[in-house]
Amino acid sequence: MIFEEEVLILKEVNYKENDKILHALSKSKGKIQLLSRGCKKNNSKLINVSQLFAYSKCILYKSKDMYIIDSAELVDNFYNIRNNIDAFLYANYILELVSYVAQENDLEYKIFYMTTEILRCLSQFNENFEKLTAAYELKLVSILGYKPDFYHCISCGAKIKSSAKFSIVEGGFYCFECEKNGSGINMDYNEIIVLQRILKSKFEDISSIEIITIKVLSLIRNYLFYHIGKDNFVTLKLL
Ligand SMILES: [Zn+2]
């Protein structure tokens, strides 16, 4: 059976003389492996679509437990990521992260589009990589079913209007009045507003959030890692 699928290449592995096995994130099937035949030959039509970061529309067919690329059209290869070492390192971390998450879950197509979207931003912008990555982490954990509530107290339900204590386990704040009911990380009100804005903003608007403190960045990352159950990403050590 032959079918069309949008894919993003997460990893390329050389195979035989002229082929590659590609680990890819697909729009509708989560993480899949693709065999790209002859893609290492200079005249191959599959050269561009068979490289790390390539986002393409492929015609695939299945043979045993592997999908084989029949033909493909490149949508974007986010070329500029390779011209900026920071963009490259952050993009590699994004791929490692989504690769892990895709293995563990039935992937939502929203995650596929969100990942191509952040790669486009990392490729086009010259700065704000750390902010963009934090926004990706927060949106990712939310789509996975752990959307935090940054607006209401998890104990009494009151609107958060001042500094409060964030519980990573519960995914929300204890207001000033309820602090004694649970443990968490103290965040001042400005930081809480920043968290609300990051969750609401599109990637291209992240630069309008001027200051994202280390405390906010680390809260987001710790929250994600707690809920996906992994924190030892290899690419993170390079950042
Ligand atoms: Zn409360």
Side-chain angles (χ1 to χ4, degrees):
M1 193 182 74
I2 210 157
F3 62 98
E4 191 182 272
E5 179 69 85
E6 290 181 38
V7 304
L8 172 71
I9 305 306
L10 306 172
K11 188 177 173 186
E12 38 179 314
V13 181
N14 288 321
Y15 181 65
K16 294 188 177 165
E17 201 185 334
N18 292 309
D19 306 346
K20 281 182 191 173
I21 290 173
L22 305 166
H23 297 224
L25 182 66
S26 68
K27 182 180 145 191
S28 61
K29 293 182 164 49
K31 205 169 140 181
I32 57 176
Q33 290 200 5
L34 308 171
L35 176 61
S36 182
R37 283 200 177 119
C39 68
K40 286 194 281 183
K41 289 185 191 163
N42 286 333
N43 60 353
S44 170
K45 286 179 179 159
L46 299 179
I47 289 181
N48 289 336
V49 298
S50 304
Q51 292 175 353
L52 192 66
F53 301 121
Y55 165 30
S56 54
K57 285 182 181 164
C58 293
I59 303 295
L60 304 174
Y61 61 94
K62 197 168 185 186
S63 171
K64 293 176 189 161
D65 54 351
M66 182 88 73
Y67 293 100
I68 298 173
I69 304 179
D70 182 70
S71 62
E73 182 192 339
L74 186 73
V75 178
D76 201 340
N77 62 1
F78 311 108
Y79 188 77
N80 281 327
I81 285 177
R82 295 156 185 83
N83 293 331
N84 182 318
I85 183 70
D86 289 325
F88 184 76
L89 294 175
Y90 279 102
N92 270 286
Y93 166 58
I94 297 291
L95 293 193
E96 190 185 358
L97 191 56
V98 79
S99 178
Y100 171 73
V101 166
Q103 231 156 21
E104 301 295 307
N105 294 280
D106 280 338
L107 201 72
E108 280 228 32
Y109 73 93
K110 280 185 209 159
I111 296 179
F112 180 84
Y113 282 121
M114 190 176 86
T115 306
T116 59
E117 198 52 27
I118 193 175
L119 292 178
R120 190 178 63 76
C121 289
L122 290 172
S123 165
Q124 287 178 352
F125 301 169
N126 291 315
E127 54 185 6
N128 293 319
F129 302 137
E130 200 171 37
K131 290 181 187 176
L132 281 166
T133 302
Y136 181 87
E137 291 173 328
L138 187 54
K139 289 170 196 297
L140 181 67
V141 73
S142 300
I143 294 176
L144 291 171
Y146 306 100
K147 186 174 179 181
D149 184 347
F150 293 142
Y151 293 89
H152 304 95
C153 172
I154 45 181
S155 180
C156 72
K159 203 152 188 262
I160 300 289
K161 290 179 188 160
S162 61
S163 64
K165 210 181 248 185
F166 186 77
S167 161
I168 288 198
V169 180
E170 307 276 346
F173 284 102
Y174 286 100
C175 74
F176 192 70
E177 304 285 319
C178 302
E179 264 187 11
K180 58 187 179 301
N181 297 347
S183 61
I185 306 157
N186 285 310
M187 302 299 279
D188 67 40
Y189 190 52
N190 283 335
E191 289 170 323
I192 296 170
I193 290 171
V194 165
L195 284 165
Q196 294 170 349
R197 287 183 66 194
I198 296 173
L199 193 54
K200 271 196 304 196
S201 299
K202 291 180 175 172
F203 291 131
E204 56 258 42
D205 300 330
I206 283 296
S207 58
S208 69
I209 306 174
E210 279 174 21
I211 297 168
I212 303 182
T213 60
I214 290 175
K215 215 164 130 199
V216 167
L217 294 172
S218 81
L219 180 143
I220 291 173
R221 189 159 290 166
N222 289 335
Y223 183 69
L224 168 72
F225 288 176
Y226 176 82
H227 289 285
I228 64 174
K230 181 177 164 81
D231 63 6
N232 56 340
F233 291 94
V234 181
T235 47
L236 200 55
K237 297 188 180 83
L238 303 169
L239 288 175

